[in-house]
Each structure stands twice: as structure tokens, then as C-alpha cells.
Amino acid sequence: MSVVTNTIRNGVDTEKMFATLDLIKAQPELARFQFRATNRWIDASHNRSTIKGFYAAGGEDTTRSEEFQIDAGEPAILLGSDEGPNPAEYLLHALAACLTTSIVYVAAARKVELTSVESTLAGDMDVRGALGVDGEPRNGFERIGVAVRVTGNAPEEKLHEVVERGKQRSAVYDMVTNGVPVAVDVTTD
Amino acid sequence: MSVVTNTIRNGVDTEKMFATLDLIKAQPELARFQFRATNRWIDASHNRSTIKGFYAAGGEDTTRSEEFQIDAGEPAILLGSDEGPNPAEYLLHALAACLTTSIVYVAAARKVELTSVESTLAGDMDVRGALGVDGEPRNGFERIGVAVRVTGNAPEEKLHEVVERGKQRSAVYDMVTNGVPVAVDVTTD
């Protein structure tokens, strides 16, 4: 007699997830990852990033067959033609996406079946900073508000714990709240 | 006799740009902007943000006719199916796009005609942090390296000044290097 266990929860293969965690515990050097993006100016506020290659688990990835292309722009009031979301909006998307995935993975690990995760993010900015009109306001958002709604087959308290743990483990939440050292190297030929 | 001056430089309408700056200097309350994104979980690592409305210059924007939809995912090694770039890659894109646009706008203001702006970004991460395997590494990138190449009709020194000023005025560069306070509000019904 065999027992068939469904290891897929929230779409995540939890057997594979726990195997990955065990492997990285045993061989911490496999945890070194590098993600990349290449950006090219097109015209005015319009530019495009291409994203494909990354380094993971001891080698260059060979599984990603498709190159992603994503366009950024600005709305008319910021002198663009809406060629895409603007860079600050992409930062909100990065934060939202990372919180959502962290919540979904944590829930899968903790045997919580989710039915929905929805979030709305708003970032407040005084554009005098970025426009260089006044040195006082910072360039970026002064604050970001995230309203997240999560539903699933667990008591309210458990769902709150899952969101809290997801927040604590989110890569982009860490970067946006704590900052990251950025080194810019410039060439002109 | 009339003198026709081309006010478009690097695709940017510099006459409109300087008029905008003058207006915001005169009425600083118009500098209050709010950008937004709404995200919805689809399955596993796949989620989608929709971006449209924003508040700017004293009112809700009515010029943006199109809603942008952007998908995030994860590669196989992070238990996804490459449904889109992952959230950390989107953060690199946001940073690259913002640096590019800042450089292009500063160049336009300083009468520098650019011929190209290209950048490659790489973020190094020890995924033991985000996977919760070890509390020691941070969740996000430990560092981000940006290699930017700029060409145009100005001496090397001037091009370097434009990049430096673009960096100093970039909203996302500010946010990624210095961090932003993020408030998360959770509901479960």
C-alpha cells in the first residue's frame, strides 16, 4: 500500500522547496546568487531593460530560455509619453511582487492554503527633490504605504503570522527599507 | 525675421522642462506626487501588478489612458516557471531606468546631446537570508554594481559631470541606497 501525498501547495512544490533548503543548509556555498539587468536608452524618458542570465547554486543558469524585455517611461507631466510605467512605479511593483511571493512561499511551508493575496502600494514624493528645484526634499518616496489583503484556510492570527514572516524574509522589502550599497562605474568612450 | 530654436534635446522638450521647473518653484505645493501599484497573486511565484492612476500637481492624473500590467515570476531554481523577471531583477530594472532617465534629462538641461546611454547592473545575494536557512546573511542584495557607458557631443569631463548629477537627482538611486520607511497594513477578510 502506498500513500500518495500532494506536495503542491499554493502552486509551490513543497517537496522541492524543502529539498532545496536542505541542500543549501548542507552546502552554503550554493547560496551565492547574482541577478542582472542591462538597460539601453531609446529616446527621451523611454528606455528598455533586458533580463536573462543569472548566477545561482555554483554556476551560470542555463534553464531560462527567454529574455525578458521591460520598458520604462514617464507620463506627460514628467515630460514623457507613457512608454511604460516609470522607474519609481517599477520599484513599487518590485516591492509588491516580492512581498506576495514571500507570503505565498511561507504559507506553503506552513501548510496554509491561500485563496488570495492582493496589495495596493502608494509612494509619496515631493518632486522638487528629483527635479533639483529645492535641495530640501529627498529625491525618492518619503514613505511607502502597503495595504495587503490575504485570505486562506487558516485562522486570522495564523494568516497575520504568515504575512509577518513573509515581510521578514522578503529580499526587496529588506532592500527598500534598509538600502543597499550601490557602486557606479562610468565610461564615456 | 524670426529665429527658430529647436527646444527638443535628447527627445526632451527643454522649453516645457524649464517651464515646469519655474512653475514648481513658484508653487511648491504642485510638487506633491503619489505613485501607486496594485498587485494580485496568480499562482505560485506568479503575480501581476497593474499601474495606472497617480496624483500629481494638485490633482489626480487624467492623461494616462492605458493601464500597464507587469508580471513577476521566479526561475526554476527558485521554484517558479519564469513567468516574468523576479522581484529583485525588477528592482535592478527600476534603478537602471531611473539612472538612465535622470542622465538624459540632466544632459538635456545642460545642452549635451547624447548618442547612447547603456548600463549593466549586477546584484549579489546570499539566498540563505531570504530562504530563512540562516539568519546571518541579509535577505536582499549585499551590493549592486552599475557599469554605465554614456556617449555624446561633450568632452569626457562634462559627460562624467552629467552622470554624477543624474545620480544625485535619481529618485530610485536615492531610495535604493538610503532606504524608505515602509508601513504594511494587513487585512484577512
Side-chain angles (χ1 to χ4, degrees), chain A residues 60-77:
Chain A
E60 195 66 19
D61 174 71
T62 56
T63 67
R64 190 181 261 173
S65 55
E66 195 189 344
E67 173 182 270
F68 299 112
Q69 296 202 339
I70 36 180
D71 282 32
E74 291 288 355
I77 197 164

Side-chain angles (χ1 to χ4, degrees), chain A residues 10-12 16-17 21 24-25 28 31-41 43-45 47 49 51 54 56-57 64 68 70 72 74-80 82 84-94 96-98 100-101 104-105 114 117-133 138-151 156 159-160 163 167-189, chain B residues 10-12 16-17 21 24-25 28 31-41 43-45 47 49 51 54 56-57 64 68 70 72 74-80 82 84-94 96-98 100-101 104-105 114 117-133 138-151 156 159-160 163 167-189:
Chain A
N10 302 328
V12 179
K16 191 177 164 196
M17 176 164 64
L21 296 178
I24 285 176
K25 268 178 210 163
R32 302 285 342 153
F33 278 49
Q34 183 183 71
F35 292 107
R36 305 176 198 125
T38 296
N39 185 275
R40 189 172 62 79
W41 175 49
D43 192 28
S45 67
N47 61 72
S49 289
I51 292 174
F54 62 93
R64 190 181 261 173
F68 299 112
I70 36 180
E74 291 288 355
I77 197 164
L78 291 172
L79 309 169
D82 275 327
N86 78 12
E89 290 171 324
Y90 270 113
L91 182 126
L92 294 178
H93 163 63
C98 198
T100 297
T101 297
V104 169
Y105 281 22
L114 298 174
V117 183
E118 291 163 2
S119 58
T120 300
L121 287 76
D124 294 304
M125 185 185 288
D126 184 327
V127 296
R128 286 179 297 168
L131 296 179
V133 171
R138 69 177 296 177
N139 302 334
F141 293 135
E142 292 148 13
R143 75 192 71 81
I144 297 171
V146 180
V148 58
R149 179 173 172 271
V150 176
T151 59
E156 187 178 337
L159 292 172
H160 276 273
V163 173
K167 212 173 85 175
Q168 284 168 11
R169 294 270 67 90
S170 162
V172 177
Y173 180 81
D174 168 27
M175 292 192 272
V176 170
T177 55
N178 297 315
V180 183
V182 179
V184 180
D185 183 56
V186 187
T187 54
T188 57
D189 52 12
Chain B
N10 303 328
V12 180
K16 191 177 164 198
M17 176 165 64
L21 297 177
I24 286 175
K25 269 178 209 164
R32 303 283 344 150
F33 278 49
Q34 183 183 71
F35 292 107
R36 306 176 198 126
T38 296
N39 185 274
R40 189 171 61 80
W41 175 48
D43 192 30
S45 67
N47 61 71
S49 290
I51 292 174
F54 62 93
R64 190 181 261 175
F68 298 112
I70 36 180
E74 291 288 355
I77 197 163
L78 292 173
L79 311 168
D82 275 326
N86 78 10
E89 290 171 323
Y90 271 115
L91 182 126
L92 294 179
H93 163 63
C98 199
T100 297
T101 297
V104 168
Y105 281 22
L114 298 173
V117 183
E118 291 162 4
S119 58
T120 300
L121 287 76
D124 294 305
M125 185 184 288
D126 184 326
V127 295
R128 286 179 296 167
L131 296 179
V133 171
R138 68 177 296 178
N139 302 334
F141 293 134
E142 292 149 12
R143 73 192 74 80
I144 296 172
V146 181
V148 58
R149 178 173 172 272
V150 176
T151 59
E156 188 178 338
L159 292 172
H160 276 272
V163 174
K167 212 172 85 175
Q168 285 169 11
R169 293 271 66 89
S170 162
V172 177
Y173 180 82
D174 167 27
M175 291 191 273
V176 170
T177 55
N178 297 314
V180 183
V182 179
V184 181
D185 183 56
V186 186
T187 54
T188 58
D189 51 13

